[in-house]
Amino acid sequence: ARDDRFGPRWEEALRQQVRRRSADGQLGEEIVGVGGWWNDDGSQEIDVVAIAGRSRTPVLVGEAKWARQANADRLARQLRAKAIHIPGADADRIQLLICARERLDAMPADAIGVTANLVTLADAEFFAALNASQAPAFINDWTWDNGDPDNVMWSLFSAPRAETRLGYKNER
């Protein structure tokens, strides 16, 4: 199904957001890296891990769900249980990040929740918003020749490419 194919791209989009927030100092001054994590046998996977300081201590773990809504409390418990497998992580002190497209139910008070407002605009509406500085985040300049979302999402979030005419550039 198409929704199954967006999951890995959604995870990378969340990692990119954590990288931007880390660079701005919004997630702490000491974050030196953000990525995903798997244990040696692949039985444990965490979508987002932020490490801090010279010791590269894990300080934040995150789960990205492409689902429209998710039970954040259940995901937080699962995430904390997986975090104990990361070398150097203190599962009781690590910051949790939970992401779904539209809604997070039962959000724990000690976790960060992320949702998105995905909007498609006609060109005229988009450029009017852009020119009025009302487009806080956008992706433009992509066309695709078939219905495969991987054509678009993979390029946006992981492949190096030239800067677009509107100034987007994949820094990775």
Side-chain angles (χ1 to χ4, degrees):
R2 184 184 315 177
D3 278 353
D4 294 338
R5 300 174 80 169
F6 275 113
R9 308 312 166 243
W10 190 246
E11 293 166 9
E12 181 58 26
L14 182 60
R15 285 189 289 271
Q16 292 285 352
Q17 182 68 7
V18 169
R19 287 181 190 109
R20 281 191 291 276
R21 297 290 184 213
S22 297
D24 293 346
Q26 295 179 30
L27 296 175
E29 297 296 320
E30 296 288 318
I31 293 180
V32 296
V34 176
W37 178 86
W38 299 264
N39 65 350
D40 290 338
D41 67 7
S43 63
Q44 300 293 326
E45 175 189 354
I46 298 179
D47 299 333
V48 179
V49 177
I51 55 175
R54 287 180 182 226
S55 64
R56 303 176 64 82
T57 302
V59 293
L60 178 143
V61 292
E63 181 75 20
K65 293 295 182 189
W66 176 245
R68 291 189 184 279
Q69 65 186 50
N71 182 305
D73 184 60
R74 180 179 54 79
L75 291 173
R77 286 193 314 270
Q78 292 171 351
L79 193 54
R80 198 173 299 281
K82 290 193 284 186
I84 65 172
H85 298 285
I86 302 173
D90 181 345
D92 293 325
R93 297 185 60 207
I94 203 161
Q95 178 69 59
L96 303 178
L97 174 69
I98 310 295
C99 175
R101 279 191 292 173
E102 295 176 8
R103 191 175 84 217
L104 292 167
D105 298 323
M107 189 69 202
D110 63 342
I112 299 170
V114 176
T115 58
N117 182 16
L118 303 176
V119 178
T120 301
L121 301 173
D123 284 350
E125 188 178 0
F126 168 73
F127 285 110
L130 184 64
N131 291 334
S133 297
Q134 298 297 315
F138 65 89
I139 298 169
N140 189 42
D141 252 5
W142 252 267
T143 57
W144 49 353
D145 56 0
N146 63 43
D148 181 359
D150 204 32
N151 257 9
V152 176
M153 299 302 282
W154 179 255
S155 298
L156 289 175
F157 296 118
S158 50
R161 68 186 287 313
E163 187 170 335
T164 69
R165 64 185 167 86
L166 291 175
Y168 172 80
K169 182 176 182 181
N170 185 339
E171 298 295 338
R172 200 175 117 195

